[in-house]
């Protein structure tokens, strides 16, 4: 069987209207703009309005991605939504997105890999296309993380925000010379032994509640630096590339120091790293596609650019993906 190549041909995003600055948070918890920005690089975050759900954010991002790709919902036969904050325990948020987009064919499902969710979803959709089980897919990372924060816990509530990002993948046509365009490789890992350093203290089967985010910040930082470094090396080696071949690093937007550490390891200058953390904070599964969407919209990331995605989240789960943007 000849495997089909997945091409990334569109990208879109959505951010809720409300912006919460560090100074506003400092009126509610014992913190300050200086304390937050110095340790994380975050200056503000977007927060979903009352009644604005994860599916609403996802639909807005999906529509923007379809428009960017010049495609219609009728062209899509797979929707994969990466989210840790679904509208409901069930049905999946992806099926709600499917209904809101008036798509009555194909398949839709969620993936839960927290902050690495978009890369897990990208890998899943890519493999569906390679196997011939989908022709085109919407891959969405969407979160209303503000709904699972303890707003009295300054160690976590200052870190996260809400938002959504989406990409369109489609199978390369037989008459296209795709060369090295599209999804070149994805690399996924997990290690459940580290559950207790980043988790939510609730769930339907355990506490029968939603729960709040809990985190051991220093431990998460230590694992992030080592594990992301390793998976970046893995992605480059799998494609026989040196880091100098990468046009853009688009990392998970969790902490400015982690982002800087990865860039230094790859010997990439700051101008080759897409960073949105100051304005978006950590939007979990949405952070990578949000950053990609912004960089494509402002013209930094162009057709033919080789982009490296990487992310790590609770689980622990982590991964990386190499994608050459666009189609020949």
């Amino acid at each position: 069987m000849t495997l089909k190549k997945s091409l990334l041909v569109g990208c879109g995003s959505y951010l809720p209207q409300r912006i919460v600055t560090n100074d506003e948070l400092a009126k509610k918890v014992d913190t300050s703009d200086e304390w937050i920005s110095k340790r994380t690089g975050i200056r503000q975050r977007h927060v979903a309005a009352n009644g604005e759900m994860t599916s609403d954010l996802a639909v807005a991002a999906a529509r923007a991605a379809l428009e960017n790709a010049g495609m219609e919902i009728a062209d899509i036969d797979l929707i994969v939504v990466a989210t840790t904050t679904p509208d409901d325990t069930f049905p999946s948020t992806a099926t709600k997105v499917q209904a809101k987009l008036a798509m009555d064919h194909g398949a839709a499902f969620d993936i839960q890999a927290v902050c690495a969710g978009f890369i897990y979803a990208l890998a899943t959709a890519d493999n569906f296309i390679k196997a011939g089980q989908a022709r085109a897919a919407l891959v969405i990372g969407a979160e209303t993380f503000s709904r699972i924060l303890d707003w009295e816990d300054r160690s976590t509530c200052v870190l996260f925000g809400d938002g959504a990002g989406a990409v369109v993948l489609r199978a390369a046509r037989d008459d296209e010379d795709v060369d090295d365009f599209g999804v070149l490789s994805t690399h996924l890992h997990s290690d459940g032994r580290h559950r207790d350093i980043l988790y939510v203290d609730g769930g339907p089967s355990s506490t029968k509640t939603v729960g709040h985010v809990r985190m051991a910040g220093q431990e998460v930082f230590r694992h992030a630096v080592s594990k992301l470094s390793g998976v970046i090396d893995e992605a480059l080696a799998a494609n026989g590339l040196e880091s100098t071949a990468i046009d853009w690093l688009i990392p998970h937007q969790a902490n400015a120091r982690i982002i800087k550490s990865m860039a230094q390891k790859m010997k990439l200058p700051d101008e080759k790293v897409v960073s949105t953390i100051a304005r978006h904070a950590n939007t979990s599964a949405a952070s990578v596609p949000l950053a990609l969407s912004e960089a494509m919209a402002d013209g930094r990331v162009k057709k033919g650019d080789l982009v490296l995605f990487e992310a790590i989240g609770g689980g622990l789960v982590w991964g990386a993906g190499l994608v050459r943007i666009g189609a020949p």
Side-chain angles (χ1 to χ4, degrees), residues 1-4 127 129-133:
M1 182 179 71
T2 302
L3 297 179
K4 288 286 188 180
N127 282 305
I129 291 172
K130 283 178 178 175
Q133 291 188 283

Side-chain angles (χ1 to χ4, degrees), residues 180-191:
D180 62 347
F181 274 84
V183 180
L184 305 187
S185 66
T186 54
H187 308 267
L188 308 179
H189 297 277
S190 65
D191 188 342

Side-chain angles (χ1 to χ4, degrees), residues 2-5 7 170-178:
T2 302
L3 297 179
K4 288 286 188 180
K5 192 75 171 290
L7 304 177
R170 71 161 175 84
R173 297 188 297 268
D174 291 340
D175 62 348
E176 287 182 307
D177 182 10
V178 295

Side-chain angles (χ1 to χ4, degrees), residues 27 36 38 49 66 112 120 142 145 149 169 224 243 254 308 312 321 326:
K27 297 175 182 177
I36 299 168
K38 183 177 179 180
L66 286 169
Q112 215 286 45
Y120 269 64
F145 232 72
L149 296 177
L169 296 184
S243 60
L308 175 64
I312 187 169

